[in-house]
Amino acid sequence: MSILSAQQLNVSISGNKIVSDASFSVNSGEIVALIGPNGAGKTTLLKAIMGLIKVESGNIYYDNMEIKFNQQHQFARYIAYLEQNSRSYWALNVESIVMLGRLPHLGRWKRPSANDRQFVEKAMEVCDVLQFADRVVTTLSGGEQARVMLARTLATNPHFLLADEPVAGLDPAHQLDVMEKLRDLADGGAGIVVVMHDLTLASRYCDRMTLLFEGRVTADGSSEIVLSEQHLATAYGIKAVYHDSDHGKFVIPIRRLKG
Amino acid sequence: MNRLFQLADARFTVLLLCLSLAVVIGFLASLSVGPVGIGTLAVLSSLFSDSSDVAVIIAQEIRLPRALLGAAIGATLGISGAAMQGYVRNPLAEPGLIGVSASAALGAVLTIYFGLSTLYIWTLPLGGMVGAAIGVAIMVVIAGRGSSTLTLILAGVAVSTLAGALTSLALNLAPNPFAAVEIIFWLLGSLANRSMEHVWLAGPFMLIGIALVLTVGKPLDALSLGEDTASTLGVNVRGVRMRIIVGVTMAVGAATAVAGAIGFVGLVVPHLLRPLVGHRPSLLLPTSALGGAVLLLFSDVAVRLLSFGPELKLGVFTALVGSPFFLWLVLKLRHQYL
């Protein structure tokens, strides 16, 4: 049982306060949805937790080890990060991209073993990209590339995965598919943070939600608590209808509230 | 699946073997071609002879250093180009991007300008290496402050421009026309009349530089996904940047110091070989080193075969032949660029 936690983080970029006093945590075995309107600071918070952005104050811990700015490479085997709109600058084939996920386990000179290759094959199979194995990644569609990038993080076999909008740009079938894969991963013991905008998908697949608004954690807990009428009005300025079904709770935004 | 991997591995091994064979052939050709006709076998046996025969002197003191420098400088330019392109994730990058070629050239030109180059055979290359060291010191200070890649490139442009301007100033104020002509000819780049002193002076720096650059293969692969993702894959991006800057400067600084500015090899070789290694930056490093050596060795042979009047300078030849070929390649592959 591990925990990844951030305590009272404050982050500014070029003098603008992006994250204020935000505390956040994820335990192994759970999926936490990080939600909030555009510009709420979700990506910045994820990057700060990964040690990719310098924080003004606050601490980040992986169990009892502190993650410091620019020291994230020491945690690469345990914490994987899926960037928003992750893409490859070179025309690499899908297999080579997914194999990059094994880098943290390989060190500088070691070549991939049969074991590494198995992880890669499994990850490609899970993300439904095995049939593209020898295709050049930049020739695939946006949604297909997104699945390749997700496969890359799965190949690492991390204890924690921080994914920034992994279902953006995917068709409904692959959205469900990805969420189910993340669910399987969490059931297998990994802790997952996923930034997303689809509130229904979030409430169906995630154990917990954290609502970020103007850089602050406005609500944290079960979907009932976080997706209350009050919170949706404050954070998004919307009115939603709720519907309970056999498949979980549906939250459908119906109109903007006039400010 | 595993079959796919093995296929890729086998192809890479075959490619390395072919390129190595081409290096050996180019090296032998470089030893065999010159104004005095000596057969390949005769040159080879002369290399290991201790007689004071003319053929022995030509083989040991003229042909051997030229072939060794051709191979080492070609390898340096090829691998440095591949490393810079991989690091900035742009196929337009070349070894001189961080200002090293221009500052090495300035250092060498200053020794001609002040008449120091005629004192000892090693003052000119030493001047070039001091120039490269000063240039890189500026870059390391800038890179060490945690600047972005773009800042680094722009700083490299600034350093290059300043060094270029000072080189022009040296030409402008040249004490006499002979000095000016000497500076211009040196700037064109050549391997003619280099001695074993040049090899001993520049060789170690090129070898250490190349070895340093060879260590960044996997980090460059990870950088294909951007700096943020690479660091979360365990890459110490700052450390990698330092290794590339120091390695490229040592190697390219030493290469430019002994041979002048030889353009285009560092740009075109990685470009040519990239599709053959599945665009993987790590595999491109050793391949480009071998490919650069092949290109420079054969170019240097061609220069000798084509020189009927005044000697055709190697740097002129590589650019002259390289540019149209590069243009053809760019047009052929244009659908791959966005």
Side-chain angles (χ1 to χ4, degrees), chain A residues 110-184:
Chain A
K110 222 176 103 195
R111 287 159 61 88
S113 64
N115 182 42
D116 292 313
R117 285 168 187 192
Q118 260 166 22
F119 272 109
V120 169
E121 188 169 347
K122 183 84 200 308
M124 286 198 287
E125 198 186 317
V126 163
C127 296
D128 193 20
V129 295
L130 197 55
Q131 70 274 27
F132 305 134
D134 56 353
R135 284 271 300 277
V136 170
V137 71
T138 43
T139 64
L140 299 177
S141 78
E144 288 164 348
Q145 289 193 38
R147 274 145 54 202
V148 172
M149 295 304 167
L150 180 68
R152 191 267 301 163
T153 62
L154 299 191
T156 305
N157 195 27
H159 296 180
F160 286 97
L161 167 62
L162 279 62
D164 202 344
E165 299 201 27
V167 296
L170 298 192
D171 61 54
H174 282 108
Q175 285 192 12
L176 292 172
D177 210 35
V178 164
M179 292 314 291
E180 263 156 35
K181 300 316 180 225
L182 294 180
R183 186 70 258 171
D184 287 347

Side-chain angles (χ1 to χ4, degrees), chain B:
Chain B
M1 175 49 57
N2 278 331
R3 198 184 55 84
L4 256 175
F5 271 112
Q6 279 154 12
L7 212 65
D9 279 359
R11 264 184 55 183
F12 180 59
T13 311
V14 169
L15 182 64
L16 283 186
L17 283 176
C18 290
L19 285 169
S20 306
L21 188 68
V23 171
V24 172
I25 295 172
F27 194 83
L28 291 177
S30 182
L31 284 176
S32 317
V33 174
V36 181
I38 314 173
T40 309
L41 287 176
V43 172
L44 283 180
S45 65
S46 300
L47 285 180
F48 303 100
S49 159
D50 53 2
S51 82
S52 54
D53 207 33
V54 180
V56 173
I57 291 173
I58 289 178
Q60 291 183 352
E61 292 176 19
I62 297 176
R63 302 264 179 94
L64 182 63
R66 190 165 184 163
L68 285 174
L69 286 175
I73 292 170
T76 290
L77 295 174
I79 197 172
S80 300
M84 290 310 301
Q85 293 181 3
Y87 177 65
V88 305
R89 285 158 269 144
N90 189 320
L92 290 176
E94 45 104 23
L97 191 71
I98 50 175
V100 51
S101 311
S103 38
L106 174 65
V109 164
L110 287 181
T111 65
I112 305 178
Y113 179 81
F114 289 114
L116 300 171
S117 59
T118 48
L119 296 180
Y120 302 99
I121 195 164
W122 46 263
T123 42
L124 189 147
L126 192 67
M129 277 148 65
V130 170
I134 294 172
V136 80
I138 298 172
M139 294 305 294
V140 165
V141 169
I142 294 168
R145 296 165 68 100
S147 341
S148 71
T149 308
L150 188 62
T151 315
L152 201 68
I153 296 172
L154 293 175
V157 170
V159 169
S160 291
T161 312
L162 181 63
L166 289 172
T167 305
S168 302
L169 185 67
L171 266 171
N172 193 171
L173 302 178
N176 56 65
F178 301 108
V181 168
E182 202 185 336
I183 290 174
I184 292 176
F185 270 35
W186 188 84
L187 285 174
L188 294 179
S190 169
L191 289 176
N193 308 320
R194 301 305 193 263
S195 65
M196 285 309 284
E197 274 91 343
H198 289 101
V199 176
W200 291 121
L201 192 65
F205 287 96
M206 289 194 270
L207 286 184
I208 296 171
I210 289 174
L212 206 54
V213 173
L214 278 173
T215 64
V216 301
K218 281 186 185 169
L220 286 183
D221 279 352
L223 276 167
S224 303
L225 300 180
E227 291 191 14
D228 278 354
T229 299
S231 13
T232 62
L233 282 170
V235 172
N236 179 351
V237 175
R238 281 182 174 204
V240 168
R241 176 189 304 177
M242 265 322 169
R243 266 185 278 157
I244 292 179
I245 291 179
V246 174
V248 166
T249 312
M250 283 176 84
V252 176
T256 312
V258 293
I262 296 173
F264 235 74
V265 177
L267 179 67
V268 81
V269 166
H271 215 78
L272 259 177
L273 297 172
R274 184 170 288 117
L276 301 182
V277 293
H279 297 245
R280 283 177 60 183
S282 60
L283 304 186
L284 194 57
L285 291 177
T287 337
S288 295
L290 293 172
V294 172
L295 183 62
L296 211 61
L297 282 168
F298 280 105
S299 299
D300 191 40
V301 168
V303 162
R304 274 176 273 175
L305 291 175
L306 293 171
S307 293
F308 300 110
E311 192 210 288
L312 183 56
K313 297 286 183 188
L314 183 59
V316 177
F317 179 81
T318 53
L320 208 58
V321 175
S323 323
F325 180 68
F326 186 66
L327 189 62
W328 171 77
L329 195 73
V330 167
L331 291 175
K332 198 181 130 208
L333 299 176
R334 63 182 179 274
H335 60 272
Q336 286 186 8
Y337 309 117
L338 297 173

